[in-house]
Each structure stands twice: as structure tokens, then as C-alpha cells.
Amino acid sequence: MIKSESKITIQMDKEIIDQIVKDEVKNRLEQQFELHKFFYTMKDLRFMTGLSEASIYKYMFPDPRLPKRKIGNKWLFKVNEMNDFLNIWIDQFPND
């Protein structure tokens, strides 16, 4: 009797898997933030986007659609408006 072995090869595209994971993490973080906050701070934005404060000022602040409010010396961003903005902004940002 001859034994035959079957092998299954699965190929996965790392970039697609990375994007799926990033999207899921982003969605879960947004849900958590929305449950507990009315405003995002600059620190929240840095955490959510992975951008530095300098990059946020350079790339987001010139956009007139950015829903920003300055209270005292602190920038605040209304959670629901900012989530909408980020979804539109990232899709329109040039991919260098």
C-alpha cells in the first residue's frame, strides 16, 4: 500500500491583510473614543492617525474642512465631525 500525502498551499497578500487589520483596529478605536469623548485633542489625533503634530499642522490644518476649535491655547476636534473628515481626507490625500 502506497501512502499519498496531500498538501494545501495558501498564499496571502501581506498588504491586503495589513490593510484589513488596520481598518479593523481603526474602527474599534473610533467606537471606543466615540463612547467616551465629545472632543479629540491633538494627542488623540496623533494616536489615531500615527502622524506627528507637525504633520497634522502641515497637512490637515490648511484644509478648510478640518473641524477645529481653539479653546484657550488648545485645539479641540469634535469627535463625529473629525471622524467624517478623516475618512474623506485620507481618501483624497495624494499617494506619493
Side-chain angles (χ1 to χ4, degrees), residues 83-95:
N83 289 339
D84 292 341
F85 170 79
L86 286 172
N87 285 318
I88 293 167
W89 180 83
I90 195 62
D91 288 339
Q92 295 176 349
F93 194 78
N95 194 10

Side-chain angles (χ1 to χ4, degrees), residues 5-92:
E5 292 185 29
S6 298
K7 292 184 180 182
I8 297 174
T9 303
I10 299 173
Q11 294 180 327
M12 295 186 267
D13 186 326
K14 184 179 179 333
E15 290 180 22
I16 291 172
I17 293 171
D18 287 348
Q19 189 59 49
I20 291 169
V21 170
K22 286 177 187 176
D23 290 344
E24 186 61 28
V25 169
K26 178 182 171 193
N27 288 337
R28 289 178 188 226
L29 284 173
E30 285 177 355
Q31 290 170 3
Q32 289 300 313
F33 274 116
E34 287 174 10
L35 293 174
H36 303 289
K37 291 189 174 214
F38 187 73
F39 285 110
Y40 290 137
T41 63
M42 183 62 76
K43 182 179 178 180
D44 294 327
L45 278 187
R46 289 192 326 259
F47 175 75
M48 290 171 40
T49 63
L51 297 173
S52 67
E53 190 169 329
S55 291
I56 291 170
Y57 280 118
K58 180 178 179 180
Y59 296 112
M60 288 185 187
F61 268 63
D63 191 323
R65 301 171 299 174
L66 178 68
K68 60 187 181 287
R69 292 162 176 80
K70 191 162 189 178
I71 299 177
N73 63 353
K74 190 173 197 174
W75 284 104
L76 297 175
F77 312 89
K78 196 171 175 186
V79 168
N80 60 342
E81 291 175 1
M82 195 63 196
N83 289 339
D84 292 341
F85 170 79
L86 286 172
N87 285 318
I88 293 167
W89 180 83
I90 195 62
D91 288 339
Q92 295 176 349

